[in-house]
Amino acid sequence: AQSVTQLGSHVSVSEGALVLLRCNYSSSVPPYLFWYVQYPNQGLQLLLKYTSAATLVKGINGFEAEFKKSETSFHLTKPSAHMSDAAEYFCAVTQRNGMRFGAGTRLTVKP
Amino acid sequence: DAGITQSPRYKITETGRQVTLMCHQTWSHSYMFWYRQDLGHGLRLIYYSAAADITDKGEVPDGYVVSRSKTENFPLTLESATRSQTSVYFCASSDLADSNYEQYFGPGTRLTVT
């Protein structure tokens, strides 16, 4: 079965610093991978998705992720954190019978 | 309005009561899903449906019942609510023709069982 693991339940960065949120997947077939963001008391918003077209995927709000098959990773990055990036981030792998989500990483941005 | 909607958005119920959460989508997507979100677990799949009258269990189906008589609706019923079912519930849908299996999520229902 496919699964994802997010390393670090909490990440804290200073405003303007690099954001790196880690996600590793387990899949016996080429996966479809997604990153979602959830702001407090809101639903899920799609940040970006990997669908095998390109290994470096650009998403909304300046985020991007790189698919590395050799490392089974799909880490999310942003060069410069903004206060508005504070939220919960979820990595997910999808298949026809549903998505498998990581436990989530809460990002805190310090002024 | 187009999209995927859930109702109610907030619900408080008592232990042992039956409660139904509604999900409606206007895209005619063939697949629909129910997830629950709990701290430390991310979202976990409860049930899914591949088409009208076709449903199947996900990771955490115990205590829940689903039905799908129409393509656009996918209600989730807690037959006898327990405190452990206090959670945020998300409905999602997916198009059979979407080879990426991307899912579109509703706004969620926050359920509290007292």
Side-chain angles (χ1 to χ4, degrees):
Chain A
Q2 296 178 323
S3 65
V4 292
T5 303
Q6 291 183 242
L7 302 177
S9 59
H10 291 88
V11 170
S12 181
V13 301
S14 298
E15 190 173 20
L18 171 71
V19 175
L20 171 61
L21 305 182
R22 300 177 187 274
C23 173
N24 287 89
Y25 69 90
S26 172
S27 175
S28 58
V29 297
Y32 297 118
L33 295 160
F34 297 74
W35 275 100
Y36 285 90
V37 60
Q38 185 179 36
Y39 298 102
N41 297 314
Q42 294 189 24
L44 296 170
Q45 182 179 2
L46 180 66
L47 272 179
L48 51 81
K49 60 182 178 180
Y50 168 74
T51 59
S52 76
T55 56
L56 183 62
V57 182
K58 294 187 182 298
I60 62 171
N61 301 337
F63 284 93
E64 63 181 36
E66 186 172 8
F67 174 75
K68 292 187 176 181
K69 185 177 179 180
S70 61
E71 299 177 6
T72 61
S73 68
F74 190 56
H75 302 331
L76 182 71
T77 61
K78 182 174 181 178
S80 177
H82 192 272
M83 296 297 292
S84 61
D85 294 327
E88 185 100 21
Y89 292 79
F90 294 96
C91 182
V93 61
T94 190
Q95 49 202 29
R96 180 55 75 197
N97 62 347
M99 277 186 166
R100 298 295 182 269
F101 285 83
T105 298
R106 181 168 298 278
L107 176 66
T108 301
V109 182
K110 298 176 293 185
Chain B
D1 290 342
I4 185 165
T5 57
Q6 295 182 234
S7 61
R9 293 294 313 280
Y10 301 91
K11 177 73 176 179
I12 299 174
T13 191
E14 296 177 343
T15 299
R17 289 192 178 269
Q18 181 180 82
V19 61
T20 296
L21 309 184
M22 304 301 295
C23 179
H24 175 80
Q25 52 106 355
T26 60
W27 294 305
S28 298
H29 284 172
S30 54
Y31 280 82
M32 296 187 74
F33 307 85
W34 275 106
Y35 297 87
R36 60 177 289 172
Q37 183 181 22
D38 303 291
L39 193 64
H41 291 280
L43 279 76
R44 291 178 292 176
L45 182 65
I46 304 171
Y47 269 96
Y48 71 99
S49 169
D53 298 322
I54 300 175
T55 62
D56 207 346
K57 297 178 180 179
E59 298 174 72
V60 289
D62 293 344
Y64 303 95
V65 175
V66 294
S67 62
R68 194 167 177 207
S69 57
K70 294 183 178 181
T71 299
E72 61 267 29
N73 297 324
F74 191 38
L76 176 73
T77 298
L78 290 66
E79 293 192 305
S80 179
T82 65
R83 290 193 180 88
S84 65
Q85 293 176 310
T86 293
S87 188
V88 181
Y89 291 85
F90 287 96
C91 179
S93 70
S94 178
D95 189 354
L96 181 65
D98 186 342
S99 61
N100 303 323
Y101 307 152
E102 182 174 348
Q103 296 182 18
Y104 301 85
F105 286 83
T109 294
R110 184 174 296 274
L111 176 68
T112 301
V113 183
T114 62

